[in-house]
Amino acid sequence: MSSNIIPPSEQTSSALIIGAGGVGVITAYSLYHCGLSEVSLVTRSDYDHVVEFGYKIDSCDYGEITNWRPHNVYKTVEDASSAEKFFDYIIITTKNIPDGPKDSTVHAILKPVIEANYKLNDEKVTNVVLIQNGIDIEKEVLEHFNPATYNLCLLSGVQLIASTKVGPGHIVQKGKDHVSFGSFDKDDDIAIGQAKKLVSIYHNEGHNTGVFDENVRKTRWNKLLYNAAINTTTALVGLDVPRCFEFSVEKKATEFEVFRPAMQEIVSIAASEDVSIDENLIEFFNDVTRNILYKPSMCVDLENGRLMELEIILGNPIRIAKANGVETPTLKLLYNLLILVQNKLKEQKKLIEFDEEILKLVV
Amino acid sequence: MSSNIIPPSEQTSSALIIGAGGVGVITAYSLYHCGLSEVSLVTRSDYDHVVEFGYKIDSCDYGEITNWRPHNVYKTVEDASSAEKFFDYIIITTKNIPDGPKDSTVHAILKPVIEANYKLNDEKVTNVVLIQNGIDIEKEVLEHFNPATYNLCLLSGVQLIASTKVGPGHIVQKGKDHVSFGSFDKDDDIAIGQAKKLVSIYHNEGHNTGVFDENVRKTRWNKLLYNAAINTTTALVGLDVPRCFEFSVEKKATEFEVFRPAMQEIVSIAASEDVSIDENLIEFFNDVTRNILYKPSMCVDLENGRLMELEIILGNPIRIAKANGVETPTLKLLYNLLILVQNKLKEQKKLIEFDEEILKLVV
C-alpha cells in the first residue's frame, strides 16, 4: 500500500475504485479532484509503476496531469480489504462478465471488501456502485449479498466517456466524462440519498458531469440501444462503426436491417417493463459514431482475445424479453452467433475444453 | 502445353476442366479413367510441377495414383484457347464469386475458350458445365453469351465430394465423388442429351458416381439447405461444425434457432418457384457433419483471406425470395453480416478502398 500524504478529514467519504483502466482512473481522479473523499484505487498490473511514478493523464476534462497518485493505492482487492479502512463507496469499473472465470465475476471481486467493511462497522452503509454496461447487473450482487445483512445500498452508474489506458500508468481521455448515478431500487430512499451524496463528491463543475438520475434503469436501457445493436455487430464482423455503415448493401442495409431492427427490439423489451424509450435516441445512437473511426468495446475485446460483455448486453435483455413475451429475432440471432464466438474465446483461454476425439465439450 | 502420348480416337469427346483444386483434379481423373474423352486441364500454380512429375492422388474412389497426367495440361485458359482444339465440354470447378475481381468471374474465365471454340467450329455444340455451388449461377453466363449465337448448352453439375489439394500436384480425396448432371434449362432437349452423354463419359462403375438428374435445380436447392445455413454460420463465427453445435446455449440453440430456421427459409424460397424440398433433408443436413471435425468452404476461405461464395449461396436465394415475396429474416441477417466480412476481405485485397479521413468508400 502506498499512502498519499494528504490526510482525509473526518467529514470526507472514503471511496474505493476497483478497475484501473481508462475509465476507472478518470473516475478516481474525478473524486480526488472534487476534494471531498479519500480515494483508494486497486491497480493490479500498474501497481509498481504508479507507486513509483504516479499516473500521467492527458484529459479533455482536466488537462495534463503528471505524477498523480490517489490517496491510497492497492495491488489487489484483498489488500484493500486488509487495510482496516471502511469504504463508504465501493465503485466497480471493471468489465462485467458473469460467464467468465469465477474469480473475475463482480460478486467474487466484491466479496472480500464487502465482508471487511461489515466486520469493521456493521452499522454504516456500504454503497456498492456499479459503473458498468448492461441491464439487470445488480441481480448477481443481490443473489450473493443480502443488502439487509450487509447494510448495503446498490447504486447504478451509467457513464459516457472515451478514455483509454495507453501504457503503464498512462491514461488518455478523449471524450468528456458524464455519469448518471441513481439507486438500482428506485423506491429505496436511503440508496437515493447515498446516490445524491455520491454526485456531490463526484461532480466537478466545468470539468466532468455527475448527475443524480431518478430513473437510472431507463438510462441503462437507453445506452443498451447502442450496445445491443452496434457494439455486438461490430464484434461479429470485426469492423469499426463507419465501415459497418459503408460496407453494407447500398450503404444502408446495416443501419436499416441490423441496427434499427435490433434497437427497436430493445425499445419493445423496455416497454414491456413500462420503460418508454424516446425513439429519437435511435437516430442519435445511429449517428453518434457514424463519423468516428471507432471500434466499440466488444469488438476490441474480441480482437485482443478477451471475453466480451455478452451476457449483460444481450443475454439479460433477451431473458427479460422471453419472460415478458417480447419477440426479439434480431437480438437472438446476434446472441446465438456471439455465444459461439464467446465460447471460442473461452476455449482459447482453456476455460472450456472441447474433445476433438468425441467431438463434445468435456469441461 | 504438355501433351500426353495417348492419342484420342475420333470417337471420344474432348473435355477441358478449369480449376485444378481438390475437386477439379478428381473430376479430370474421373473422365480420364472412364477412357471416353480426351482430358485437358488448366492448372495455373501447379503447371511446372505437373508437367515434370504428374499428379499424386490418394483417392477413396481410385486408390493411390502417382505420376498421373491428363492428356493435355495448360497453364491458363488462354493457352488452352490457343491450342486449336475444340472442347465439347468446358467444365468449370473454380469458386464462383461474381462480386470478386473482374478477371476471376465465371464469364470472364470462360470468354476466351467459348470464343475459340466458336471460331474453330460454329456448328458443333459447346457444353459449358458449371460444377459449382449456389443457385441461379447460369444467369451470369447467359447474360454474357447468347446460347444461340455461340451454339452453347449450359449444363449444371451438383457435386458431393471431399477432396483437397494438400501440396503442389498432390490431391487427397477422402469423400466419394457423386455428381448430378442435368440441363439448367429442363426443357432444352439438346442440353438434356448432352448431359446424359456427359454422365456416360464421367461415371466409373464401382468407383465414382455420375448420374443424370432431370431436375438438377431441385438438387441445387437441396444442397443450398446446407450451404445457406451451416456454411455461412461457420464462416461468421470461425468454428467447425461440431463446435457450432456444442458451443451453443444448451447445445441446441445453433441448430434450432439458426440452422433450422435458415433451412426452413430455403424451403420456402424453393416452394415459391414450385420446387418442393423434402423436409427430411433438414434432418439429414443437420446431421451430416455434426460428428465430423469439418470446416465448410466459406469458413476456410475466410480464414485464408480468400473471398467467399456469398452471392451465389445467400445473395441469389435472397433475391429470389424478394421477387417472390418470401420472408427470410434469418438468411437476410446472415447475409447482411457476411457482406461486411466480404468487404473486409475486399479491402484487405485492395479491391475496394476506404478513406479513413473522410470515412467513406472511395473505390
Side-chain angles (χ1 to χ4, degrees), chain A residues 237 243-244 246-247 253-254 257 291 293 332 336-337 339-340 343-344 347 354 356 359-361, chain B residues 237 243-244 246-247 253-254 257 291 293 332 336-337 339-340 343-344 347 354 356 359-361:
Chain A
V237 303
R243 280 183 170 84
C244 284
E246 282 287 294
F247 284 4
T254 303
E257 300 192 22
N291 297 314
L293 202 65
K332 267 172 66 177
N336 282 318
L337 295 168
I339 273 277
L340 302 182
N343 278 317
K344 183 165 71 169
E347 189 186 16
F354 181 82
E356 293 202 343
L359 301 172
K360 297 285 172 204
L361 275 173
Chain B
V237 302
R243 278 184 171 82
C244 284
E246 282 286 293
F247 283 4
T254 304
E257 301 192 20
N291 297 313
L293 202 64
K332 266 171 67 177
N336 282 318
L337 294 169
I339 274 277
L340 302 182
N343 278 319
K344 183 166 71 169
E347 188 186 17
F354 180 83
E356 293 201 343
L359 302 172
K360 298 284 172 204
L361 275 173

Side-chain angles (χ1 to χ4, degrees), chain A residues 197-246:
Chain A
K197 187 173 171 206
L198 177 55
V199 169
S200 73
I201 64 172
Y202 187 83
H203 178 78
N204 292 287
E205 194 63 32
H207 299 284
N208 74 340
T209 307
V211 291
F212 172 71
D213 185 343
E214 64 180 352
N215 195 353
V216 70
R217 186 170 175 93
K218 177 173 176 172
T219 306
R220 285 200 170 274
W221 278 114
N222 290 346
K223 195 176 175 193
L224 260 187
L225 285 180
Y226 186 89
N227 281 322
I230 297 183
N231 200 346
T232 51
T233 297
T234 60
L236 261 177
V237 303
L239 290 170
D240 54 60
V241 180
R243 280 183 170 84
C244 284
F245 283 102
E246 282 287 294

Side-chain angles (χ1 to χ4, degrees), chain A residues 49-343:
Chain A
H49 182 97
V50 172
V51 167
E52 191 166 359
F53 305 107
Y55 276 102
K56 174 170 162 52
I57 303 176
D58 307 316
S59 165
C60 59
D61 281 337
Y62 302 102
E64 259 197 39
I65 298 145
T66 49
N67 306 114
W68 174 70
R69 289 180 189 82
H71 301 109
N72 311 296
V73 183
Y74 302 100
K75 192 163 187 169
T76 65
V77 176
E78 285 73 14
D79 288 350
S81 310
S82 310
E84 298 286 319
K85 192 182 292 286
F86 188 91
F87 300 107
D88 300 298
Y89 293 92
I90 303 168
I91 301 173
I92 300 229
T93 61
T94 61
K95 291 270 156 88
N96 190 327
I97 304 180
D99 57 319
K102 282 200 172 59
D103 60 358
S104 72
T105 57
V106 168
H107 74 271
I109 292 170
L110 284 169
K111 190 170 193 283
V113 64
I114 286 180
E115 289 177 349
N117 254 15
Y118 178 70
K119 265 193 200 163
L120 279 171
N121 190 336
D122 62 3
E123 291 184 359
K124 272 180 90 176
V125 167
T126 295
N127 294 286
V128 170
V129 188
L130 307 182
I131 304 189
Q132 295 177 312
N133 278 320
I135 200 84
D136 268 359
I137 55 175
E138 70 279 20
K139 288 192 173 170
E140 182 200 334
V141 180
L142 290 171
E143 272 167 24
H144 290 86
F145 304 102
N146 184 332
T149 306
Y150 289 96
N151 208 357
L152 297 183
C153 287
L154 252 62
L155 307 187
S156 176
V158 181
Q159 189 167 37
L160 302 174
I161 189 172
S163 182
T164 310
K165 199 179 91 171
V166 296
H170 188 190
I171 306 294
V172 175
Q173 183 201 355
K174 290 192 174 172
K176 294 182 75 63
D177 177 32
H178 181 292
V179 191
S180 305
F181 290 112
S183 168
F184 278 107
D185 178 354
K186 58 180 179 172
D187 299 323
D188 181 341
D189 289 335
I190 295 171
I192 289 169
Q194 296 290 333
K196 289 178 175 171
K197 187 173 171 206
L198 177 55
V199 169
S200 73
I201 64 172
Y202 187 83
H203 178 78
N204 292 287
E205 194 63 32
H207 299 284
N208 74 340
T209 307
V211 291
F212 172 71
D213 185 343
E214 64 180 352
N215 195 353
V216 70
R217 186 170 175 93
K218 177 173 176 172
T219 306
R220 285 200 170 274
W221 278 114
N222 290 346
K223 195 176 175 193
L224 260 187
L225 285 180
Y226 186 89
N227 281 322
I230 297 183
N231 200 346
T232 51
T233 297
T234 60
L236 261 177
V237 303
L239 290 170
D240 54 60
V241 180
R243 280 183 170 84
C244 284
F245 283 102
E246 282 287 294
F247 284 4
S248 69
V249 179
E250 294 176 355
K251 304 189 179 185
K252 283 187 176 168
T254 303
E255 177 174 357
F256 289 92
E257 300 192 22
V258 186
F259 292 168
R260 285 173 183 264
M263 289 179 182
Q264 283 293 351
E265 292 170 17
I266 291 291
V267 169
S268 299
I269 306 170
S272 77
E273 53 170 57
D274 292 327
V275 172
S276 166
I277 296 179
D278 178 354
E279 297 210 12
N280 288 327
L281 284 176
I282 292 180
E283 303 299 323
F284 172 77
F285 280 121
N286 267 286
D287 289 339
V288 67
T289 52
R290 188 192 296 265
N291 297 314
I292 306 174
L293 202 65
Y294 170 67
K295 279 185 177 171
S297 61
M298 289 175 72
C299 182
V300 173
D301 285 338
L302 174 58
E303 285 186 352
N304 288 292
R306 296 189 297 252
L307 295 178
M308 301 173 288
E309 294 189 303
L310 178 60
E311 292 304 325
I312 58 155
I313 284 175
L314 269 186
N316 287 351
I318 288 171
R319 281 181 276 273
I320 296 169
K322 193 175 175 195
N324 295 356
V326 179
E327 293 289 322
T328 56
T330 312
L331 297 177
K332 267 172 66 177
L333 189 48
L334 292 172
Y335 179 68
N336 282 318
L337 295 168
L338 281 166
I339 273 277
L340 302 182
V341 179
Q342 181 88 323
N343 278 317

